[in-house]
Amino acid sequence: MNKKEIQRQRMRTYFINGAKEIIKEEGIKGLTVRKVGERAGYSYATIYNYFSDLNTLLAYCMLDFLEDCYHYMLNFKIETEDSKNQLIAYELAYFRYFAENPDMFQIIFIEELGKPPKELMKENTLPSVGLLLRESLIKCAQEGYIAEEKIELLGELITASLHGKLLLFIKGRDGSNLENMISLIEKEMAFLLSQAGG
Amino acid sequence: MNKKEIQRQRMRTYFINGAKEIIKEEGIKGLTVRKVGERAGYSYATIYNYFSDLNTLLAYCMLDFLEDCYHYMLNFKIETEDSKNQLIAYELAYFRYFAENPDMFQIIFIEELGKPPKELMKENTLPSVGLLLRESLIKCAQEGYIAEEKIELLGELITASLHGKLLLFIKGRDGSNLENMISLIEKEMAFLLSQAGG
DNA sequence: TAATAAAATTAACAATGTTAATTTTATTAA
DNA sequence: TTAATAAAATTAACATTGTTAATTTTATTA
């Protein structure tokens, strides 16, 4: 009984990986059922034996990409830095990552997704990535940069602000360029952290 | 010579209005060239005599919807209120408007748009709407709620935060519900305005 | 080895945006 | 007014898309 499910899961990864390849090479617009089938080495209709539709397959991709983003962020962990600089470094890395990979932003935050099994999705939106932000904020509180009771509020504000900026920037609704955005975020972070003292 | 252009512009409005109707009734997903042609009382291919493609027609719709949003916001101008409450009232109205009209958010901030004549688009992204926010902030400075040199920064922060929250909320990336979002925004606004004193 | 279940493939559908070919309508020249 | 020409509108056609149904192939079981 369980053997079957292992095999099915393996099959799923063939399609998921095919889809991820296509997205990385051609962007989300290049993703079609037929191309996924080709990459996986199966006919296009076979996909529907393993995913209820293309959006569900995309949801699996999204979860993987989210993990990729998390691992990318880990590169910006700087042990020597103090918590304030660490937090800012994470924010900037996050912004840069999506600004330079707009398709990832599209898939993770915009695209309509189908429903992969619930156990994969539970509290998984912004799971590990959001954790980094929270960790940094808590450390900022411990080191006295911000008041403990401001953690929640600051986290919400920063998260919303970053995603708003990314949306407007990526979708060309903001005339600004990447470097200007970055320096704007730096200023805003400095403001927020200086004003949220304990 | 000019007569021709007047006629062409009139024709354009037929298609634009048809498209807007469809979007309002069936959402952006319901918008198709064929349906637009039907509404306008022309064959579907006629559209391509007046717009280079569907995305360009959509760009015209977007500009109209943006104006709609502006007029909606004006309903929340309260002469008696002080600038701080006025600002907050605008923010909440803005959030509510898009949270309750996700297709407007989609078209204005997410959808890929073609290019209508440049004179229509120049500095027009968030034109009048963004103006309301700026006006309110300036008044807040005049009335001593915030420092003058913080206007720019606060405007950027508030704008980004609102759009980020809208994105995550509308796209179901945030588990929260509308009323919780609203009260969260209130708290954040209170924080920002209290901490940005002159 | 025969019967049956499962998996994969091919064929088919309806819908989409867009272009080309064709027909209709308006404008101009005689 | 009528014939030639330009402009506008329509129909026909394409290539793609996601998805489903029908069919064939492969694996499992008796």
Side-chain angles (χ1 to χ4, degrees), chain A residues 12-30:
Chain A
R12 272 188 217 109
T13 67
Y14 298 151
F15 294 112
I16 294 168
N17 290 336
K20 284 164 66 184
E21 281 174 32
I22 294 167
I23 289 169
K24 281 181 195 153
E25 290 173 23
E26 310 177 36
I28 178 72
K29 280 184 186 166

Side-chain angles (χ1 to χ4, degrees), chain A:
Chain A
M1 309 294 181
N2 212 354
K3 260 189 267 177
K4 273 266 153 8
E5 194 44 44
I6 290 174
Q7 290 171 13
R8 279 185 66 78
Q9 187 51 42
R10 210 197 321 272
M11 283 293 288
R12 272 188 217 109
T13 67
Y14 298 151
F15 294 112
I16 294 168
N17 290 336
K20 284 164 66 184
E21 281 174 32
I22 294 167
I23 289 169
K24 281 181 195 153
E25 290 173 23
E26 310 177 36
I28 178 72
K29 280 184 186 166
L31 185 72
T32 74
V33 212
R34 282 162 177 82
K35 281 191 210 162
V36 173
E38 202 176 8
R39 293 264 182 165
Y42 287 92
S43 166
Y44 50 88
T46 307
I47 291 167
Y48 292 90
N49 286 336
Y50 297 94
F51 303 93
S52 55
D53 55 27
L54 186 63
N55 286 340
T56 302
L57 169 54
L58 191 61
Y60 282 90
C61 295
M62 182 278 231
L63 294 173
D64 280 10
F65 286 140
L66 200 54
E67 279 310 297
D68 291 354
C69 175
Y70 175 62
H71 289 123
Y72 172 85
M73 295 283 292
L74 289 181
N75 295 331
F76 294 83
K77 188 172 193 104
I78 320 166
E79 296 295 352
T80 64
E81 287 289 356
D82 77 343
S83 59
K84 197 169 153 185
N85 287 335
Q86 174 65 86
L87 175 60
I88 293 176
Y90 276 147
E91 306 305 333
L92 296 181
Y94 189 79
F95 186 86
R96 221 179 249 283
Y97 180 80
F98 285 113
E100 288 169 354
N101 300 279
D103 280 313
M104 295 296 107
F105 191 76
Q106 181 75 28
I107 292 166
I108 296 177
F109 297 109
I110 299 181
E111 210 69 22
E112 183 171 337
L113 303 172
K115 300 202 171 168
K118 44 203 168 309
E119 62 267 22
L120 273 178
M121 287 297 264
K122 69 166 158 182
E123 296 299 328
N124 216 345
T125 323
L126 291 196
S128 21
V129 175
L131 228 100
L132 280 184
L133 167 62
R134 192 137 308 240
E135 273 178 25
S136 296
L137 275 171
I138 290 173
K139 247 189 182 169
C140 279
Q142 284 166 351
E143 296 186 8
Y145 285 116
I146 61 171
E148 187 138 358
E149 67 271 19
K150 296 278 164 59
I151 293 179
E152 185 82 13
L153 196 71
L154 273 182
E156 290 284 347
L157 249 173
I158 293 171
T159 300
S161 170
L162 279 179
H163 289 93
K165 280 190 159 52
L166 279 167
L167 174 67
L168 299 178
F169 177 73
I170 287 174
K171 293 302 178 181
R173 264 62 165 187
D174 188 311
S176 192
N177 62 42
L178 179 53
E179 294 316 315
N180 280 341
M181 298 294 284
I182 294 278
S183 86
L184 187 54
I185 291 170
E186 280 172 333
K187 279 180 203 143
E188 292 178 10
M189 287 298 296
F191 168 75
L192 286 177
L193 291 176
S194 75
Q195 301 294 330

Side-chain angles (χ1 to χ4, degrees), chain B:
Chain B
M1 309 294 179
N2 213 353
K3 259 188 267 176
K4 273 267 154 2
E5 195 44 44
I6 289 174
Q7 291 171 11
R8 280 184 66 78
Q9 187 50 43
R10 210 196 322 272
M11 283 292 287
R12 272 189 216 107
T13 68
Y14 299 151
F15 294 112
I16 294 168
N17 291 335
K20 283 163 68 184
E21 281 173 33
I22 294 167
I23 290 169
K24 279 181 196 152
E25 291 173 22
E26 310 177 35
I28 178 71
K29 279 184 188 166
L31 184 71
T32 74
V33 214
R34 282 163 178 81
K35 281 191 208 159
V36 174
E38 202 177 6
R39 293 266 179 162
Y42 287 93
S43 165
Y44 50 89
T46 307
I47 291 166
Y48 292 91
N49 287 336
Y50 298 94
F51 303 93
S52 54
D53 54 27
L54 186 64
N55 286 339
T56 302
L57 169 54
L58 191 61
Y60 282 90
C61 295
M62 182 277 232
L63 293 173
D64 280 9
F65 286 141
L66 200 53
E67 280 310 296
D68 291 353
C69 176
Y70 176 62
H71 289 123
Y72 172 85
M73 297 282 293
L74 288 180
N75 294 333
F76 293 83
K77 187 168 193 109
I78 320 166
E79 296 294 353
T80 63
E81 286 289 355
D82 77 343
S83 57
K84 196 168 152 184
N85 287 336
Q86 175 66 87
L87 175 59
I88 293 175
Y90 277 147
E91 307 305 334
L92 296 181
Y94 189 78
F95 186 86
R96 222 179 251 281
Y97 179 80
F98 285 114
E100 287 168 355
N101 300 279
D103 280 312
M104 295 295 107
F105 191 76
Q106 180 76 28
I107 291 166
I108 296 177
F109 297 109
I110 299 182
E111 210 71 21
E112 184 171 334
L113 303 172
K115 300 201 172 169
K118 44 203 167 310
E119 63 267 22
L120 273 178
M121 286 297 264
K122 70 166 156 181
E123 296 299 327
N124 215 344
T125 322
L126 291 194
S128 22
V129 175
L131 228 100
L132 280 184
L133 167 62
R134 192 138 308 241
E135 272 178 25
S136 296
L137 275 171
I138 290 172
K139 246 189 183 169
C140 279
Q142 285 166 351
E143 297 186 10
Y145 285 117
I146 60 170
E148 188 138 356
E149 68 271 18
K150 295 278 164 59
I151 293 179
E152 185 82 13
L153 197 71
L154 274 181
E156 290 283 348
L157 248 173
I158 293 170
T159 300
S161 169
L162 279 180
H163 290 92
K165 279 190 161 52
L166 279 167
L167 174 68
L168 299 178
F169 177 72
I170 288 174
K171 293 301 179 181
R173 263 63 165 187
D174 188 310
S176 192
N177 62 44
L178 179 54
E179 294 314 317
N180 280 341
M181 299 293 284
I182 293 279
S183 87
L184 187 53
I185 291 171
E186 280 173 332
K187 280 181 202 143
E188 292 178 9
M189 287 298 296
F191 168 74
L192 287 176
L193 292 176
S194 74
Q195 301 295 328

